[in-house]
Structures are given as C-alpha cells and as structure tokens.
Amino acid sequence: MRRTPIHHKLGLTLAVPILVLAMATTLGVRSASGDRAEVRRQTELARAAIGPAGLLSTLQNERLWVASDLVGTDDLTHSPVESYEEAHQQTDAARAALEQQVAGGDEVIAEAFAGPLGGLGDLAPLRADVEAFRSTAHDTTGVIEFGADIWRRYTELVTPFFDATTHIAGDIEDAQLRAGARLSDNVARGIEAFTQAGQRTVTIALLTDAGVDTRDEIGELSRLSANLAQYTEAIESAQPPYADIPSLPGAQQMIAGVNAQTDEAITTSRVRLDEFIAAVDMPTGEGLY
C-alpha cells in the first residue's frame, strides 16, 4: 500500500480551511467595495437632494426682481440682485452647475431632474416677454395683470424642482443624510411658501381696488398661510445635528411678519406696507434666507 507523505496530508488537511478563508476574504473585499460604492451613492443622492437649492434661489431672486421692478418697489428693500443682467447671470450659472452635477450621475437623480431642467426651456421666452413689456408704457392695471402672470410662469419653473428633491430624498437610506436632505427640502419649500404668502398678500391687499374682499381671496390667503405654517412646523421639528437651524431669530421674525400681515389682510382687507417691509426686509444672506 502506497503511503502518503505527512506533508502532503497536512497540505490536504489545510487546503479546505485555506480555500474557505480565501473565499471569505474575496467576499469580504467585494462586500467592502460594495459598501463603499453604496456610501458614495448615498452621498451622491444627498448632494443631489440639496443641489437645486442654488438654482431655486436664483430663480426666486429673478422672479422677485422682475415683480419689484415692474411695480416700482425695488428701491424699498434689500434686493438680492440689482439688475436684470445680474439676475440672469446668476440663474444661468446655477443652472449650468446643476446640469453638470446631474450629467453622468445616478439614474434616480437623472430621472428626477430631467423634467424640471427640461422645463427651463421656457425661461428664455419668459425673459423676452418681460423685456418686450418693459419697452412700452402701460397703465397700473396692465402692470398688475402682467406682473401676476409673469410671477405664475416663474413659479411653474420653480415648482417641479421641489418634487424632484422630495423624490430623491426618499431614496436615501442613511437616516442622518435623509433627515438633512428632508430638512433642506422643507427649508426650500418654506421659503417658497413664505414668498408666495407675502407676494399674494401685498398684491391683493394693496394693488386691487377693494383689497381682500372676496371669498376666493380670503380662501387663497388662508391656504397660503396654512402652507407656510406647515413647513415652519416641519423645520422647527428638526433633530440634531440640525436642531439649531430653526432657532435663528431673523428667520422667526420674517415668518412672523408675513403671518401677521396676512392675518391683517384677511381681517381688515388691507396691509400696512411699511410694517410689512420692516418685518421681512433683511440684508442678503440673513434672516430666513
């Protein structure tokens, strides 16, 4: 009977655990690599969820500048931009930055932003309409009606980005990243709710003949006020490490100011423009913004 050398026996005995160890190591490396890839994806999703904030801000600033310039109130507040050229340049730069961020990114991100970015094709015609309107004289009624329509068209460009960020935030599995993305979404939506409530309050109360005097107008302002309250509550419920954000006194002052003027408009049909401006006018980068 042929004998097997002892070192061969040892080799055969050790072959199985060595093979198992090799397989486990390979799987471990693949798992670690997969974990790193997932971390990168989660981070990419979180960045994408807050990515449109810059574009949203510039579109909102451009919309506000157009409205203020048309009705002649641009010199009464600290405007974030001081000319059409500056507003357009900032929006175009933010748009290019977001398009670059989205290009070649995660499929969820690309799909979420495809519609909102595609909608920006309407921005050039909108700007052209504003320029054409400014080149001719109009009475007060014409200015108010045109300004309201332009505000609506800008809002239609802005709104889809909120839905995109909400969709992306829902795909973030990391709890802390998801909480931060959702807070960013709530802050952006809160600023939009604040802006809409303020704009409609002033427009209806001051720029219409009888102020806030119809069921539809009262209902609209009530809904806008409730919408602002919803996002204010969502922001105020932020948990660590984001809990300090809602406590900024300037932000509280601005939200309280709009709420007070909206309530007054609903109650008395009018608002006091000086008090409204005093409550919401903050230097760029301060307060709610």
Side-chain angles (χ1 to χ4, degrees), residues 200 204 215-225:
R200 291 302 294 160
I204 297 173
R215 182 191 299 268
D216 288 344
E217 290 170 346
I218 293 172
E220 180 183 359
L221 294 189
S222 296
R223 287 192 299 272
L224 290 172
S225 181

Side-chain angles (χ1 to χ4, degrees), residues 27-41:
L27 292 173
V29 169
R30 289 180 179 175
S31 176
S33 177
D35 289 344
R36 286 196 297 271
E38 184 58 23
V39 168
R40 284 196 297 270
R41 180 175 184 272

Side-chain angles (χ1 to χ4, degrees), residues 256-279:
V258 165
N259 280 331
Q261 293 303 312
T262 301
D263 290 343
E264 181 171 338
I266 292 172
T267 304
T268 69
S269 299
R270 296 294 184 184
V271 296
R272 287 169 285 188
L273 186 59
D274 56 339
E275 292 187 8
F276 180 88
I277 292 176

Side-chain angles (χ1 to χ4, degrees), residues 194-216:
F194 165 86
T195 305
Q196 292 288 351
Q199 188 268 344
R200 291 302 294 160
T201 296
V202 170
T203 298
I204 297 173
L206 295 183
L207 301 180
T208 60
D209 291 338
V212 184
D213 66 333
T214 69
R215 182 191 299 268
D216 288 344

